[in-house]
Amino acid sequence: MISWLVFWLIAQSIARSQGCLKCSKEAMALKKEFTDHFLEKKLRREPDLKKNLKKLVDDAIEGLSHQRIDPEKYMAMIDETTLGILATHFKRYMNRIMESDFEDGQLFNEVNWSLQKLLATFQEIMPTITKLHCSNECGVMMYVSTNCFNCITRSHTCNKGIYCGERRVQVEMDEDLILDCALRWHKASHGVKKYRFYRVVNGKEQVMTTGEDSFLVKKEANSNDTGRYRCEMLDPEGHLSSRLDFHVVVLSPVGKTTWFTRPHLTTMEGSLALGVSSRAPPPQEDWTAWIVIACTGGLLFLVVAAL
Ligand SMILES: *[C@@H]1O[C@H](CO)[C@@H](O)[C@H](O)[C@H]1NC(C)=O
Ligand SMILES: *[C@@H]1O[C@H](CO)[C@@H](O)[C@H](O)[C@H]1NC(C)=O
């Protein structure tokens, strides 16, 4: 399941360790400012303390990448968002120290405290993104991640076959029929996804909609909506990433079941037609009657990561 990661890590283990945070240009610029300007100026007359502090900062940043490799916690890779969060924390701590006027011993303790906090933050956020890797049970999940050892950013896929099964959807007549194409791992898969919905008639796919929304809603389902549907998730390059089939059954409304049982079907046709026409215009066979609602989950992963 994580074999590509393991190969990749072995390949990297020869490379010199760098530390995930070193892949952030902003964080490194700030570190340089802190050690080469702030500390130089502040501790001009205390070369030993200056040396110790510089070492403390270097070791702490280096130490981030020396976490134990664990498929649940840390796989020496980081995505852009998480790296940004880490860099933000680092900048906040460093700026706080540079803006305060701590003296000698207190300065050391404050820097140490900040770096301990940074490590704690790192250990807290890395498992979240690490666990997402290859968390798809089906389909093709895509990642863009940066290797914490050499800072090279690459995209990877985790392919478990595009077919993600069939869902049975039962809806009562006149209720809204909702086809939900989103799978849990879609949010974590890289980039802007497209969803394409089909109606499958006699084994042939008829495209209904294509767009960024993962839900398709048909207001006031009627018996004509019973049937087979399919949806596909397409990655940012338009490659098919997952496919889900739907078997939709529109049930007769409770209490009116007898209207549609076979013996009465012909005799009750008039009542049925009346029932439909008493409402707004009857639903049409074409798909303009379908509407799409917004997918709210798109950035959930990012928000979770941000917290
Ligand atoms: C930094 O602080 C931690 C506790 O917060 C302590 O265990 C550690 O020894 C300190 N490091 C140094 C170099 O003083
Ligand atoms: C179902 O489709 C048929 C043929 O397209 C149409 O005549 C009928 O009115 C539709 N029924 C409903 C309830 O929309």
Side-chain angles (χ1 to χ4, degrees):
M1 180 172 118
I2 46 155
S3 57
W4 64 267
L5 269 174
V6 174
F7 281 129
W8 183 51
L9 283 168
I10 290 167
Q12 298 312 326
S13 59
I14 326 148
R16 208 178 71 85
S17 147
Q18 290 211 331
C20 298
L21 195 59
K22 282 199 179 173
C23 303
S24 163
K25 285 202 183 76
E26 297 166 273
M28 288 309 96
L30 193 79
K31 188 210 133 199
K32 198 167 154 56
E33 190 191 328
F34 182 76
T35 54
D36 296 5
H37 299 281
F38 175 77
L39 289 182
E40 280 297 336
K41 214 167 130 199
K42 179 124 185 130
L43 301 174
R44 206 177 302 134
R45 286 189 215 94
E46 291 166 274
D48 286 347
L49 180 58
K50 188 172 72 188
K51 208 173 117 218
N52 286 343
L53 270 172
K54 281 184 178 181
K55 189 172 176 330
L56 192 68
V57 175
D58 283 341
D59 288 352
I61 292 172
E62 189 79 22
L64 292 182
S65 69
H66 286 297
Q67 308 298 307
R68 209 159 57 82
I69 297 294
D70 180 335
E72 292 277 300
K73 294 196 178 114
Y74 173 69
M75 290 301 275
M77 50 200 289
I78 193 163
D79 66 300
E80 202 186 336
T81 311
T82 311
L83 185 58
I85 293 167
L86 205 59
T88 304
H89 277 86
F90 179 70
K91 285 195 286 183
R92 196 179 301 151
Y93 292 136
M94 292 294 119
N95 281 329
R96 182 181 147 266
I97 291 168
M98 289 194 279
E99 283 157 14
S100 311
D101 197 22
F102 298 123
E103 291 306 325
D104 310 356
Q106 200 192 354
L107 177 63
F108 187 91
N109 287 338
E110 287 292 338
V111 173
N112 185 29
W113 180 85
S114 298
L115 296 170
Q116 300 279 335
K117 291 280 280 184
L118 183 70
L119 178 62
T121 305
F122 184 82
Q123 286 170 337
E124 201 178 298
I125 59 178
M126 290 308 280
T128 316
I129 62 153
T130 304
K131 278 187 222 157
L132 285 172
H133 282 271
C134 281
S135 59
N136 52 326
E137 310 84 33
C138 61
V140 185
M141 192 166 174
M142 188 170 154
Y143 313 93
V144 173
S145 58
T146 300
N147 181 321
C148 289
F149 291 107
N150 59 16
C151 295
I152 292 172
T153 301
R154 285 217 184 94
S155 69
H156 308 268
T157 54
C158 194
N159 188 342
K160 302 205 177 149
I162 55 156
Y163 185 62
C164 288
E166 186 185 71
R167 286 188 181 166
R168 297 185 153 262
V169 179
Q170 289 198 339
V171 62
E172 266 189 34
M173 190 168 291
D174 293 337
E175 299 280 298
D176 292 351
L177 167 60
I178 300 168
L179 301 183
D180 179 1
C181 197
L183 295 170
R184 207 170 36 86
W185 56 270
H186 284 180
K187 288 167 197 161
S189 193
H190 178 78
V192 179
K193 277 129 270 184
K194 278 219 167 84
Y195 290 90
R196 180 172 295 155
F197 287 85
Y198 302 92
R199 179 146 196 181
V200 183
V201 180
N202 299 327
K204 286 211 180 97
E205 293 174 342
Q206 300 168 350
V207 178
M208 294 162 69
T209 66
T210 304
E212 285 178 24
D213 304 295
S214 60
F215 293 88
L216 192 59
V217 179
K218 165 87 191 298
K219 291 267 180 207
E220 298 184 5
N222 68 54
S223 54
N224 285 347
D225 298 324
T226 291
R228 298 196 177 266
Y229 298 83
R230 177 167 294 156
C231 77
E232 292 174 345
M233 191 273 267
L234 307 168
D235 74 10
E237 280 153 35
H239 298 134
L240 179 56
S241 302
S242 68
R243 171 181 291 152
L244 209 53
D245 284 332
F246 295 93
H247 185 187
V248 173
V249 177
V250 180
L251 302 167
S252 309
V254 179
K256 296 178 187 170
T257 318
T258 49
W259 285 24
F260 302 100
T261 55
R262 200 162 278 281
H264 300 281
L265 196 60
T266 40
T267 54
M268 296 307 283
E269 201 118 316
S271 309
L272 173 60
L274 199 69
V276 171
S277 61
S278 69
R279 243 185 309 280
Q284 286 141 33
E285 188 52 33
D286 74 351
W287 300 109
T288 54
W290 288 74
I291 57 156
V292 159
I293 58 170
C295 163
T296 51
L299 290 170
L300 186 64
F301 164 64
L302 301 184
V303 174
V304 168
L307 291 172

